[in-house]
Amino acid sequence: MRVVALTCALLVLGAGVASAGEPSRFVFDAEAGAFPVTATSGDWSAPQAEFIVSRRPWDDNNLHIDVERAGTYHVVELFRHDGNPITTGTYTDQKALIISAGLGCYDNAADFTIDRLDVNEQGIVLALDGSVEHRCGDRPDNAFRAKFHYVRGA
């Protein structure tokens, strides 16, 4: 059910999967009870926003998305509980970390989808399209949803 809610919410945000020619983009919406990003939304794109997307060199079961604009930043880290590599697909009840303004919260039951993941032979992420729904705790109205499109050097 949460995956359906995430899909609907991101369609409302207008954040469809971008084409390779479009600049990197991060579209997010945080409900009133969400943490650490609370009661705000945004549509950040390059070159006004700076993107760092990576995987740990020793661990391909995580993705790190770091976006900064005008001194504000949001970090999304995605993990698979089973230790297998993150590839294209939809993942439910997985681990996600959201960080903003030096504060963070893990959700061990997050949902995320990876629509595109291009990685070179050195493990450098060249392109990424996906989305995440994260909840911090069990308060009502606490979802953080984001859709991301990244192309290295774009």
Side-chain angles (χ1 to χ4, degrees), residues 9-114:
L10 291 172
L11 287 174
V12 169
L13 288 173
V17 175
S19 69
E22 293 183 29
S24 295
R25 186 174 176 200
F26 183 73
V27 179
F28 63 94
D29 179 54
E31 294 178 348
F35 181 83
V37 183
T38 305
T40 189
S41 61
D43 187 343
W44 298 358
S45 59
Q48 293 80 15
E50 182 178 328
F51 291 74
I52 300 171
V53 177
S54 63
R55 299 171 102 164
R56 294 183 185 132
W58 64 91
D59 182 7
D60 58 2
N61 118 356
N62 87 310
L63 281 169
H64 175 93
I65 302 134
D66 185 331
V67 186
E68 181 178 347
R69 188 184 79 171
T72 300
Y73 68 92
H74 301 311
V75 175
V76 175
E77 289 221 23
L78 306 174
F79 306 86
R80 285 185 62 172
H81 287 303
D82 61 12
N84 289 321
I86 293 176
T87 59
T88 57
T90 297
Y91 301 91
T92 57
D93 295 329
Q94 299 299 313
K95 186 175 181 179
L97 169 65
I98 304 297
I99 301 172
S100 185
L103 301 171
C105 183
Y106 279 102
D107 178 359
N108 283 312
D111 298 330
F112 62 89
T113 297
I114 304 300

